[in-house]
Amino acid sequence: MKLVDEYRDAGAARKLAAAIARRATRPWTLMEICGGQTHSIVKFGLDELLPKTLTLVHGPGCPVCVTPVELIDAAVALAGRPGVTVCSFGDMLRVPGTGADLLTARARGGDVRMVYSPLDAVTLAAQHPDREVVFFAVGFETTAPANAMAVLQARRRGLKNFSLLVSHVLVPPAIEAILSAPDNRVQGFLAAGHVCTVMGLAEYGPLAARFRVPIVVTGFEPVDILHGVLACVEQLEAGRAEVGNAYARAVRPEGNVRAQEVMREVFVTIDRNWRGIGRIPASGFALRPELAAFDAARRFGVGADAPPEATECISGLIMRGTKKPTDCPAFGVRCTPERPLGAPMVSSEGACAAYYRYRARKTAPAVSG
Ligand code: SF4
């Protein structure tokens, strides 16, 4: 697959790493926002190619990891109700709530289905008018347009038995929360390329200016990520704090305008609770009041209580960049992918799962070439 090979080329990666080493004259700490970027960094050992003075910390952009416990508990409770079918993506089924995960709910007899698209859940609702079909809608700005389309399709088809359990979160308020924390050490961001494909660049300019941090939109392959790191380091060394685009092959400044319109038609911005991090103002989506009939939390009266989280899991500190997965005493001992204590050990985008998979056994593969 030529297109991908080009962005995994070992020679190109080494040249970029050498350019970064030449430019970085002081210690800098950068955060990659997205869990997909974290997995690339750890899998390909990109952080180990960089100068020791450059630290990469891992941000909150794993949607499964930040889904609050109360909504997982709500999904589990709904799965236990007669006549209700709960649908979600595969990773979400294994994330522990207070007492159980959705796979456990299924083992107890609940109707829990793994789907690949929210539109599959709409189809299921049309095929089973005798059942209530709830889609557990988690994710950032990337998944919000498809989930919004599912609601619009269900309305167009006149479905009365389809609803969303909404847990949508937004990247810019999370960046603001990280930068506002007294113990923040992040000096530059690699923003998530797919989020910006939808949203464009405009939201990031005020953050870069207010906090004096460069924010560089970055892709997901090794060469993409090293391009983003280089662009960020160049700004830091020059004393600049601007929004850069190191993923121009996918991201336009204005983003996907039609997708933004669909999101606005279906969602309003609200405060949201982030697992491990806490409440962040104006950091998520809820369904608009006129679409309340499609809101599973309102229809079934679930998801309001926020239970205390397990104290042993330090995922919040990891996602704010103050700790790494290997700093967690439970890492690889009491917390493994087979028996996860926290969501970052479950998700395919979770930082703890990446470290366990690629670092705990010291098997990080090299880039090709
Ligand atoms: S290793 Fe497990 S317990 Fe520790 S932070 Fe990661 S998910 Fe939480």
Side-chain angles (χ1 to χ4, degrees):
M1 184 130 160
K2 193 167 182 309
L3 184 66
V4 173
D5 286 350
E6 191 181 331
Y7 296 99
R8 292 186 179 175
D9 180 73
R14 282 194 208 98
K15 273 188 197 151
L16 281 163
I20 293 164
R22 283 194 301 276
R23 291 297 287 128
T25 63
R26 282 170 281 169
W28 301 111
T29 298
L30 311 183
M31 172 180 276
E32 82 279 357
I33 288 289
C34 175
Q37 294 167 326
T38 304
H39 270 251
S40 272
I41 288 165
V42 181
K43 175 178 178 181
F44 292 104
L46 302 183
D47 49 342
E48 293 170 342
L49 285 178
L50 298 174
K52 294 268 176 284
T53 52
L54 202 55
T55 304
L56 297 182
V57 293
H58 317 305
C62 158
V64 169
C65 302
V66 298
T67 299
V69 173
E70 60 270 25
L71 287 178
I72 294 168
D73 287 351
V76 169
L78 286 174
R81 292 196 189 187
V84 176
T85 297
V86 174
C87 304
S88 197
F89 301 130
D91 277 359
M92 217 47 237
L93 306 190
R94 293 186 56 235
V95 179
T98 315
D101 57 25
L102 280 167
L103 278 184
T104 306
R106 182 158 77 184
R108 290 173 183 158
D111 187 4
V112 177
R113 313 268 182 111
M114 188 179 86
V115 293
Y116 294 99
S117 157
L119 297 179
D120 294 344
V122 174
T123 302
L124 203 62
Q127 290 169 343
H128 300 278
D130 54 321
R131 297 194 66 81
E132 286 285 345
V133 176
V134 178
F135 181 70
F136 195 3
V138 306
F140 286 83
E141 294 93 328
T142 36
T143 51
N147 291 337
M149 282 302 301
V151 171
L152 296 180
Q153 279 223 4
R155 184 172 67 175
R156 188 173 55 77
R157 295 170 74 169
L159 298 179
K160 306 284 185 216
N161 62 330
F162 174 81
S163 57
L164 292 189
L165 183 61
V166 179
S167 181
H168 270 301
V169 284
L170 306 170
V171 169
I175 290 181
E176 182 175 0
I178 288 165
L179 291 171
S180 301
D183 58 349
N184 170 57
R185 61 185 186 128
V186 180
Q187 295 163 296
F189 285 91
L190 309 182
H194 49 8
V195 167
C196 296
T197 303
V198 176
M199 300 305 292
L201 308 181
E203 299 174 299
Y204 296 95
L207 285 170
R210 178 176 154 207
F211 292 97
R212 299 289 311 151
V213 290
I215 301 175
V216 177
V217 180
T218 301
F220 303 89
E221 296 298 335
V223 169
D224 288 320
I225 290 169
L226 292 170
H227 262 302
V229 171
L230 178 60
C232 214
V233 167
E234 282 177 337
Q235 284 203 45
L236 286 164
E237 291 283 340
R240 290 187 286 119
E242 299 161 2
V243 177
N245 185 2
Y247 198 40
R249 74 178 187 278
V251 175
R252 289 175 299 190
E254 71 278 16
N256 184 330
V257 174
R258 180 63 191 127
Q260 294 164 24
E261 286 168 0
V262 169
M263 287 156 66
R264 277 196 295 274
E265 193 177 342
V266 171
F267 295 121
V268 286
T269 303
I270 60 162
D271 298 350
R272 275 265 173 217
N273 206 12
W274 295 51
R275 186 171 192 163
I277 295 177
R279 202 155 195 81
I280 303 180
S283 68
F285 283 147
L287 286 164
R288 300 190 78 86
E290 60 269 31
L291 293 167
F294 296 96
D295 186 339
R298 292 194 205 193
R299 277 172 69 156
F300 299 102
V302 294
D305 300 326
E309 294 184 25
T311 50
E312 193 170 16
C313 180
I314 62 162
S315 63
L317 298 176
I318 294 169
M319 291 187 288
R320 289 198 295 105
T322 58
K323 297 279 185 196
K324 296 248 187 173
T326 44
D327 295 328
C328 176
F331 176 81
V333 184
R334 290 176 299 289
C335 182
T336 63
E338 291 75 33
R339 298 180 68 85
L341 285 179
M345 190 57 97
V346 177
S347 170
S348 57
E349 294 194 13
C352 299
Y355 273 70
Y356 187 87
R357 183 168 179 192
Y358 300 116
R359 290 284 158 84
R361 297 167 217 168
K362 301 282 180 206
T363 55
V367 287
S368 64

